[in-house]
Amino acid sequence: MMTSPIRLALTLAISLAIVPAAFAAPPTKTGKTDKGNVLTDAKGMTLYTFDKDADGKSACNGPCATNWPVLKAEASDAAGDGYTIITRDDGSRQWAYKGKPLYTFAKDTKPGDVTGDGFLNGAWHLAMP
């Protein structure tokens, strides 16, 4: 059976499109803190999750998002390996890990800081690998 040039080109294009996603680096790193290993952003800043987020939707908008900057996902980013991308109320994209949107904390000043853990009567938690 001969394969048509169009079918061959389409198969090759799909294969090449899948390869980068399969080898894409995760959007987080793992860092060490006084409270153990945590997920961090590319700069090594601790990431957090928020109890009020539900069903892959962020409840942290407006002033909340000023204090808890989101881990932004770019248009070219692809989900995978436990990571998903949610769309925020303002239309921007945010990384989530195991369904929980990820944030940094404005009062953390250097890698390894965990000052946001337990904030707001325990509603904010360290994002653990």
Side-chain angles (χ1 to χ4, degrees):
M1 178 176 120
M2 292 186 59
T3 303
S4 74
I6 293 172
R7 178 174 282 177
L8 182 60
L10 185 57
T11 302
L12 180 60
I14 290 170
S15 298
L16 291 174
I18 292 170
V19 171
F23 294 107
T28 66
K29 298 180 181 216
T30 301
K32 294 185 184 289
T33 70
D34 292 343
K35 296 186 177 189
N37 290 340
V38 298
L39 294 178
T40 70
D41 67 7
K43 297 176 186 172
M45 300 304 289
T46 302
L47 292 170
Y48 298 88
T49 61
F50 186 38
D51 284 346
K52 294 185 179 184
D53 291 343
D55 300 324
K57 180 162 175 48
S58 173
C60 182
N61 296 289
C64 177
T66 300
N67 292 320
W68 298 90
V70 305
L71 183 61
K72 292 181 182 178
E74 302 301 326
S76 61
D77 290 337
D81 207 20
Y83 293 92
T84 54
I85 298 172
I86 65 164
T87 301
R88 298 181 48 76
D89 288 353
D90 65 4
S92 64
R93 295 162 40 104
Q94 178 179 2
W95 282 107
Y97 182 63
K98 296 183 178 177
K100 295 184 176 282
L102 297 170
Y103 308 83
T104 56
F105 186 43
K107 293 187 179 179
D108 284 351
T109 59
K110 65 185 181 314
D113 282 355
V114 291
T115 60
D117 189 35
F119 197 81
L120 195 62
N121 297 318
W124 289 94
H125 306 278
L126 299 171
M128 305 299 250

